[in-house]
Amino acid sequence: MNIEQKFANELIDFIYESPSPFHVVENVRENLLGKGFKELKLTDKWNLNKGGKYFISKNESAVVAFVVGNGEIEKEGFKLIGAHTDAPTFRIKPSPEMVVNNNYLKLNTEVYGGPILNTWFDRPLSIAGRVTLKSDNIMCPDSRLIKIDEPILIIPNVAIHMNGKVNEGKEINKQKDTLPLLSLINEKFEKDNYLVKILANKLNVDIDEIIDFDLFLYEYEKGTIMGLNNEFISAGKLDDLAMVHAGIEALINSKVSKATNVMVCFDNEEVGSRTKQGAGSPMLKNILERITLALRKDRSEFIRAIYNSFIISADMAHALHPNATEKHDPVNKPVINKGPVIKINANQAYTTDSDSNSVYEEICKKAEVPVQKFVNRSDERGGSTIGPISSSQLDIRSIDIGNPMLAMHSVRELGGVLDHYYVKKSFEEFYNL
């Protein structure tokens, strides 16, 4: 196994162990603690040292890790990489149990983000997330993470014999067609709190201790390296856990530089980022200011630091599709395993401009990493990402990049083994400048 395949397998393991944003942050936390980083609390006073390695979490679903530079922060600024911890899925509603014809038990769910719905059908699924428990302090309830590590759910298709036009395109009703089947009902079945009883059993707590939960569906089967030459990564949540994984590993592996290196993993990008732990919140700005103040600098020096900073907004990009080449710009057509993609949009759906583009191109050149460019067809609107949203909070020089992939927002996405290694190399080069 070569070094690129080894790193891709590490990504697959990370994704498999991170079925919800809460698990993403917990796994990042354990990794950072094992590599000498110190955990800080948002409610505590910070004492920071040059060369020190630290991290903070927010809502248990977002995390900011940083290595304090050995230069003066107002002169050297911050070098940041941003990604997000969430992915399109289904969230379980309160009191979700639904009995069908006294035979089936299914769960009531709500779509989170913009998944390709039909890819979730006929696959083994399970449940993961956070359960909130009673504590001695009403204002600070306890929480426990849960990952039901067995395939307990499925969203079954209607047979083609009863849905003859299914292959001609059928609108999927999010309230009716996508509710997962959990179990058959027997004579001893009790509908009330059925799911909560499962949670209590898994967590080994009394059912009365459970107040609420943030639970999501996830694909049970693990990702894999595939292709004739083992060149592809087939897995869910590549958007955007591939960038989380590469960014965190680059931060860990990089040396202490003059600037303060930061890796920020926001939550809720898939639903607009406008939450307390999203890119549209003051979370990152507040943390950067606190870093500056903890280094015994003042607010004026914080503002100077901001204007000496640079952020790489890292979210996945669209590769040329072999069955739909007409969907792409006629000239700029990124291909899997040809390197990270710089994303450009005239209407500022991406933050890239000639200045930031030039910076990242030179970084990739120095790292000996190939680089590509993506622009939408002029008659297609396309999507956006955390870059423009975070720019509304922090006016830092910024670029939007990502690795090329197919089937974005499918339950099973496809990326490149080489690209994942390439992007990590570019991040390490950036942090080591």
Side-chain angles (χ1 to χ4, degrees), residues 10-18 24 27-28 241 244-245:
E10 290 173 4
L11 168 62
I12 291 169
D13 291 341
F14 174 68
I15 291 173
Y16 185 70
E17 296 299 329
S18 305
V24 173
N27 289 327
V28 168
L241 297 195
V244 171
H245 179 255

Side-chain angles (χ1 to χ4, degrees), residues 95-112:
S95 304
E97 297 87 357
M98 299 176 69
V99 175
V100 181
N101 199 36
N102 289 322
N103 286 298
Y104 297 114
L105 176 66
K106 62 183 182 179
L107 297 182
N108 194 12
T109 61
E110 182 177 8
V111 173
Y112 177 90

Side-chain angles (χ1 to χ4, degrees), residues 81-142:
I81 297 172
H84 63 88
T85 61
D86 62 323
T89 180
F90 296 84
R91 178 171 174 157
I92 297 176
K93 292 182 178 180
S95 304
E97 297 87 357
M98 299 176 69
V99 175
V100 181
N101 199 36
N102 289 322
N103 286 298
Y104 297 114
L105 176 66
K106 62 183 182 179
L107 297 182
N108 194 12
T109 61
E110 182 177 8
V111 173
Y112 177 90
I116 301 177
L117 295 174
N118 61 16
T119 64
W120 285 78
F121 284 67
D122 303 322
R123 290 178 180 268
L125 306 173
S126 197
I127 295 170
R130 176 175 68 178
V131 179
T132 304
L133 308 170
K134 292 178 181 178
S135 76
D136 295 334
N137 185 346
I138 290 178
M139 293 299 294
C140 298
D142 291 332

Side-chain angles (χ1 to χ4, degrees), residues 262-275:
V262 182
M263 179 66 200
V264 53
C265 305
F266 296 107
D267 192 10
N268 304 126
E269 188 274 345
E270 299 294 354
V271 292
S273 294
R274 289 171 176 82
T275 61

Side-chain angles (χ1 to χ4, degrees), residues 95-99 105-107 127 148 152-153 182-186 188-201 207 210 213:
S95 304
E97 297 87 357
M98 299 176 69
V99 175
L105 176 66
K106 62 183 182 179
L107 297 182
I127 295 170
I148 298 180
I152 62 171
L153 298 168
L182 176 62
S183 181
L184 290 169
I185 293 173
N186 58 36
K188 298 180 180 179
F189 172 74
E190 295 181 7
K191 173 179 175 291
D192 293 341
N193 293 321
Y194 189 85
L195 178 60
V196 173
K197 291 174 184 176
I198 294 174
L199 300 176
N201 181 60
I207 188 172
I210 296 177
F213 51 73

Side-chain angles (χ1 to χ4, degrees), residues 418-433:
L418 292 180
D419 288 328
H420 191 54
Y421 186 71
Y422 284 149
V423 81
K424 185 196 72 159
K425 283 184 66 179
S426 77
F427 291 167
E428 288 176 346
E429 192 65 50
F430 173 60
Y431 280 143
N432 284 331
L433 289 175

Side-chain angles (χ1 to χ4, degrees), residues 140-172:
C140 298
D142 291 332
S143 66
R144 297 270 298 277
L145 301 192
I146 187 166
K147 176 189 177 186
I148 298 180
D149 198 8
E150 52 186 315
I152 62 171
L153 298 168
I154 195 164
I155 304 172
N157 253 305
V158 176
I160 194 169
H161 312 81
M162 301 175 182
N163 188 17
K165 295 186 178 181
V166 63
N167 292 326
E168 299 175 23
K170 176 184 178 295
E171 182 177 356
I172 297 173

